[in-house]
Each structure stands twice: as structure tokens, then as C-alpha cells.
Amino acid sequence: MNVKKFTAATSRDALRKVREALGPDAVILSNRPVDGVVEILALDNDDVAALASPAIEEPQAPGFQAFDSDFDPEPVFSRAPAAFAPAAPEPRQPAPRAAAPKLDAFAGQPYIERRAAPAAAAIEAEIPPTYVNRRAPASEPGIDMAAMTQMMSAAIAQAKESAALEMSGMMNEIRAMRGLMETQLAELSWNATAQREPQKATVLREMLAAGFSATLARYLIDKMPATKDAAEALRWIKTVLARNLTTIANEDDLLNRGGVFALVGPTGVGKTTTTAKLAARCVMRHGPDKLALITTDAYRIGGHEQLRIYGKILGVMVHSVKDEADLRIALKELRNKHTVLIDTIGMSQRDQMVTEQVAMLSESGADVKRLLCLNATSTNETLNEVVRAYQGSSLAGCIMTKLDEAASIGNVLDVVIRQKLNLHYISNGQRVPEDLHLADRAMLVDRAFRNNRAASAQFGDADLPMMMAAAGQDRSLREVHLG
């Protein structure tokens, strides 16, 4: 083996020297910079061919003969010395595949590569490692793609959660800033309105003192036409309120039509007493044989006994039911009755059993009309919760109870107007059946604004802008008829 070294200032010049000395088929063994010049170690192609030819041709194994029996190596090694020429192949019979021995380590490589591999290994052992011929490091063990995918998914989920939290915080800050700006602008707007039209401030005090919500008061005052004095403005407010109260004209249609009515509502609103008052009116109109009473109050001690006493006085049978199945059976047996009144158990509007009670009445197999009893002494917020809880699919109407105990009734009228309820009766005492009356719109509105002079004085000029700014927008007020 004749390895030659060539040096030049650049790689191009060194390669040119190699091409001139050894020809274009020379084999480059190394190429490295040494002391400011480029050093190339090269070998003539003829030397490589000589190294590729073995000194003695060993007889081939039967399996090897069968692998390349048709290959003639003479043209490939035509330039090798005659002493190393392979012997002429002897005639041989192809060995059967079943008896073929195991191939060597190079059986899967081409013929020339198998013959030249030992020589190339010897050359590589003699050449020092350089940055050109050094081997790549052993490959790392395989990466668990499932674990990597899980880690990436967890990182992405964490990034999304962090971004969502940041976005939520930013939106909360924007909403807070918006609310603050709206409050300040509303206060400035109301101050300007109060200075320009002082009668509106007077009407606002009257409505707030009567128990109406700031939302309804703000809506009506914004829609109120320009007037000369507060009395005229208050008359306009009363007219609009009375126009938007829905009541029944007379009870003849209700009593003559009959049907199944269920009185619902929270505990202590007077459902049982109101049921007895309605029963007395039906008995006076159609007789005791046309009426039936049902009670579902099996929890309150003596609850069903109170209704039984009323039924005994009126001569009406009282049926007690516990669940939906009993109610179905009772209504089926009483289908020939003209009117059936159901006294339901009272429960808080926040109790989950309210939904079950509404479902029981709706799926009883009969057209049960639910009448909601509203306590006139409750606050506006409480009454709104009660209506939302007992609303269900629909309410046939409502009955205002405990009118005699309420200091103001604007809160009940406000809820009836905003929730679009049909007001049937008002109850103002415990007497049966005297203390049950048809709802009179004009009387109710007039009573709401009566005797509230002392209450209106508690709202100062400095409080009105803040209350008007805090009053939100209610979409249900869009259906209020202004006339």
C-alpha cells in the first residue's frame, strides 16, 4: 500500500495535485488542515484493486456457489497479477436448498464488497482518526413517543388553562371598568336631568317609597313625557302602572268554567286559607256536590286537618294524596266534578323539591292550572325568586295574600308587571270567605302610593343619582305599554 501525502494552501489546490499525481480515480483517505495548509492523504485506485484481490482463492461453500454461481469475476479483476488469478471453476452440481449451510457474515452483500471488506478494514485501522473519517457516536436508545406525546399534551393543556385564566381576569377588569364608567355617566346624566326637570326627582322618590324597583322607576321616568308639575307626572305614572296590571274582569268566567286549580307557593303565604275561601265561593255558586278538595300537605302537622275542617263546614269531601300516582288516581275518580281545588305543600323557593312538585302537577294526567300565592310583605328580590322557582312551563295566574299586613304593596305590583302575571284575587284577612276580593287595578295602584310621604323623605337628593346608576336594564320592561 502506497499512501501519498499532498499539501497545499487550499483544498482546491491540494485536490488538483492529487488528480495530477494519481489520476481522477484516486481514493481520498483524509483531508485536514495542518499548520496553515491543507494536508490530503490519498491512495491510487490500482492499489485498492490489488488489496481487494485475495492471495489464495479458497474453495467456495456449496451455499455460496448457489448464491452467485453465474457470476464471473475475471473481468472485474483483469488488472490483478496472474499469480492471484482465481482457478477455473470446476463443474459442480447445485446443492439442494434444504441442505445449504449457513451463509457467512457477508452473504447479504454484493460479491465485490464481500471480497474487499477485510482489506478496507485493515486500511481504516492504519489511518489515524480525523474530523473527516471519524465515526458517528452510537445512537441513543429509542424515545418513548407515547410519553413524549403525553408530556406535550399536558404542556399544551396547562398553557391553555393559563391563557384562559389570564383572559378571564382581563375580561373581569374590563367589565369592572365598564361598570364604573356607566355608573359615573349615569350619575352625571341624572344630575343634569334633575336640574332640568325637578318633577322627575319627586316622582322617583314617590315610586321608590311605594316599593317599586329602581329598574322600573328609571324606565318609566326616562319614558315620561315633559310635564309642568309633579302631580301631573305622578298621574301619568299611575295610569301606566294600572294599564300594565293584568287582572280578571269578573269571576263568573273562572267559576262557571271550572277545572282543576292548584294553589302553590312558599310556606306560610296562606295557601290553605285561600283554598277554603275559593271553595266557599264555588259552593255558593254551584253547591257542594260540584266541588272536590285535594291536599298534598302530608308533612306539616295538622296541615290536612285544617282543610278537612273547612271541608266539613262546607260539606265537601277532602282527599289526601302523597305522590304523583295517588294524584293521578284521585283526579281520575273526581273527573266528574265541576271544580277541583288542590292545596299543595309549602316549600322554600330554593328547595329542589319545588321542581318535583311542578312536574307532579304537570304530569298528573289532567289540565291543572297553577295559581301562585304571593306574600305582599315579602321584598321585591324574594318575590322575584319565588316566581322564577314556581314558573315552570307557565302559571295560570297569581293571588296576592296578606295585603292587610303589608306596609307597601309596590313590590308585589312591580313583580306582577315585570313577570307578566295575571292577578286573580287579593286576600286581606283570615275570614272565610269575606276576605277574598277580585283585584282592582286602580285601587291597588292608588293604595301603593297612599300614605308614603314619610317613606319618600328618606331618599335624599344625593342618594337618587347613585340609585339610578345602580338600576340595571331589564328586557322584560320593553313590553310595558306606555299608552
Side-chain angles (χ1 to χ4, degrees), residues 350-388:
R350 300 179 182 178
D351 196 333
Q352 296 181 354
M353 293 182 63
V354 173
T355 306
E356 299 177 4
Q357 183 187 83
V358 173
M360 180 184 70
L361 296 174
S362 300
E363 300 173 2
S364 60
D367 184 15
V368 180
K369 302 176 182 63
R370 292 180 295 117
L371 299 177
L372 179 61
C373 294
L374 297 176
N375 188 352
T377 61
S378 299
T379 62
N380 194 292
E381 292 78 9
T382 302
L383 292 174
N384 277 300
E385 284 188 4
V386 170
V387 173
R388 285 193 294 267

